Each structure stands twice: as C-alpha cells, then as structure tokens.
Amino acid sequence: MSPQVGEIDQEAFDALMREDPGAAMELVVDMTKATDETLREKARRLAGTILLERSKVGPSRARGSSKLRLRPADRGGDLDVDASMAALVEARASNLPAHLEDLQAVDWAQPGIALCLLVDTSGSMTGGRLAAAALTAAACSWRAPEEFAVVSFEREATVQRGLHQPTPPETLVDQLLALRGHGVTGLSAAMRSAADQLAAARSSRRVTVLLSDCRSTDDKDPIPLAASLDELLILAPADDSSDAEALAAAVGARVETMADPSEAAAALARLLDAS
C-alpha cells in the first residue's frame, strides 16, 4: 500500500476499498500512526475523506415548527402549575419551598434530533475501533448537524465536542483518530456526561449513542443512569456483544452489532430509524 517512503498507492487502496472496505478503513487509520511524517499526513487526509464520505447514510435532520414539551423546571422553561401541583402541595404541607427538580416546566422544543455519542476508549484503540468511532461521529454530524455531542470515556468522561460547539466534522474526525486507549470502562461516568450534554438540547428527541462492548470494569453500576436517559442506542462489536445486549435488555435500549467499521453508519441509521 506504501510502495515507497511517504507515498500511498491510491489504486491499490481503491481496490481494497471495493473488495473489503472494513479492512481498508482499518489499514488507513493504522497508517495515520506511521513513523514517516509525510505518509502519516497523507493517511490522515485520506482517512478523513473516506470516513466523511461513508458517514452519510439516512436523511439529514428534518426541520419544522417548534412544539411545547414538558421538562424538569431546573432545566429551564415556564412553570407548569398543573403538572407541578403534587410537588407544590407537598412543599406547602411541609412549610418548605419546593425544589426546582421536583417541579415541571414547559418550553418550546425544536423538532428533529439531538445526539450524544459516547466513545469507549478503555483498553486498546486499534485501527478498527478508531475508524468505527470517527465514522460514527461523522454520521452523527450528518444526522444532527445542529445538536450533537461527542464524549470519549474510560474511567472518566472527556467532552470532545459539546452539543452546540462549532467544531467542523473534519476537525472532530481528526480528534478521534488521535485518541489512545487506556484505563477501565466507566459506563456510569459516560451516561452522566450524556445526560448533562442533552439537558441543553432544543430538539424534541434526545438520543444517546453508546459505542462500546459495554463491559463495565469499574465499581459503579451503570444501569440506573442508563435507564434515566431519554433514549439509549448501543453499537457493539459483532464478536463481543453479550454485555451490550444484557445492558440493552436491562434498560430498554436497542442494540446493533458491527462486524467491521465500515458498517457503523448503516448500523446507526437502522437504530435511529427503527423508532
């Protein structure tokens, strides 16, 4: 694939993309870590182009008129007295002020979808895992261009792109391709970060997409936080999906598996369009 220093055989790469796109994506992502600086930069540009092209599966976010939605009052909006009556009566009986989180408010929600992608970076980030992460992030930007967040996690969660942060997809793909894996799998920290990101969403549908085998290796139970999310979708490796399927069954999530990174965008589209 690299016949001489600093070069990529484009014809050979194109042939591999036709024959085995998953292997081609893994290879070019692995080449972004080459010791030769020229080859590394060419591989990075090629990987970004391929991943962005392959991400556009399914419709981009539709637009329409806003709708009123009910949400906890501590997330903003106008107090809904009827929906909050029970909490107000209880507070009055106790001669105490009502807590905002116990009250309900209404505000105008935009139609469409807000996405928060959680990328598991525990363990080793191989070319395949990096390609799947970058391709899924690019697909999220295609499906929800105005409201999407990307969070990487191991024991702790790190926001790679905030929900309304103006980070171009090309820059985000570069960020994800530079990730290195380490540490334990802290699913609880990831779920908490997703809830924090999506709390600011204007869209009426708020979806968390978890890219992981879901094998939690810290001491915190992820199920309560996972169950509290509006909608959880899981993308798991086809050869290691038992923990993901168990988590999905426990919290009412949906799960799709991927045999290789080239399937990521289509798997995400199936999950999003199934509801």
Side-chain angles (χ1 to χ4, degrees):
M1 195 64 66
S2 180
Q4 54 188 335
V5 175
E7 294 298 328
I8 294 176
D9 187 330
Q10 190 64 51
E11 290 186 5
F13 180 79
D14 291 343
L16 183 59
M17 277 294 295
R18 291 190 294 270
E19 180 181 340
D20 190 342
M25 289 181 190
E26 290 189 38
L27 177 61
V28 74
V29 169
D30 279 336
M31 291 171 72
T32 64
K33 303 185 186 73
T35 55
D36 180 81
E37 184 177 350
T38 303
L39 178 61
R40 187 167 64 243
E41 178 61 21
K42 289 182 178 180
R44 186 194 63 77
R45 291 199 301 268
L46 179 58
T49 299
I50 296 299
L51 295 171
L52 288 168
E53 286 177 352
R54 291 272 173 159
S55 69
K56 297 176 181 180
V57 177
S60 183
R61 172 179 168 172
R63 300 180 183 273
S65 58
S66 300
K67 297 180 181 179
L68 278 173
R69 65 174 172 185
L70 195 66
R71 65 188 304 182
D74 60 349
R75 295 182 180 178
D78 298 320
L79 180 67
D80 187 315
V81 176
D82 291 337
S84 304
M85 186 58 67
L88 291 169
V89 169
E90 183 178 347
R92 179 66 180 271
S94 303
N95 199 28
L96 294 171
H99 295 291
L100 273 178
E101 61 266 25
D102 297 328
L103 304 177
Q104 296 294 311
V106 290
D107 69 355
W108 291 100
Q110 294 294 325
I113 186 170
L115 296 174
C116 180
L117 172 64
L118 302 176
V119 178
D120 184 351
T121 58
S122 61
S124 173
M125 291 297 287
T126 62
R129 288 182 64 184
L130 284 171
L135 181 55
T136 308
C140 286
S141 74
W142 170 251
R143 295 298 293 256
E146 294 179 8
E147 293 195 307
F148 79 99
V150 178
V151 177
S152 61
F153 71 95
E154 20 84 28
R155 183 183 295 277
E156 303 296 335
T158 301
V159 177
Q160 300 291 336
R161 183 195 192 274
L163 193 73
H164 300 120
Q165 185 178 338
T167 304
E170 298 84 353
T171 302
L172 182 61
V173 166
D174 278 350
Q175 286 178 217
L176 295 180
L177 292 180
L179 290 175
R180 298 295 180 266
H182 63 280
V184 300
T185 308
L187 290 175
S188 291
M191 303 297 178
R192 186 177 299 106
S193 185
D196 291 344
Q197 288 295 317
L198 292 172
R202 296 183 294 267
S203 299
S204 54
R205 184 181 177 193
R206 290 169 287 180
V207 181
T208 301
V209 179
L210 174 59
L211 184 63
S212 174
D213 60 16
C214 299
R215 186 171 297 109
S216 183
T217 55
D218 65 2
D219 56 358
K220 298 178 182 178
D221 183 4
I223 289 179
L225 281 167
S228 71
L229 296 172
D230 285 17
E231 188 176 350
L232 176 61
L233 308 177
I234 302 174
L235 289 171
D239 59 354
D240 189 11
S241 64
S242 58
D243 290 281
E245 289 165 358
L247 177 62
V251 302
R254 296 194 303 282
V255 62
E256 281 276 349
T257 61
M258 305 174 296
D260 64 60
S262 68
E263 299 179 0
L268 176 65
R270 290 194 297 272
L271 286 171
L272 290 173
D273 298 338
S275 63

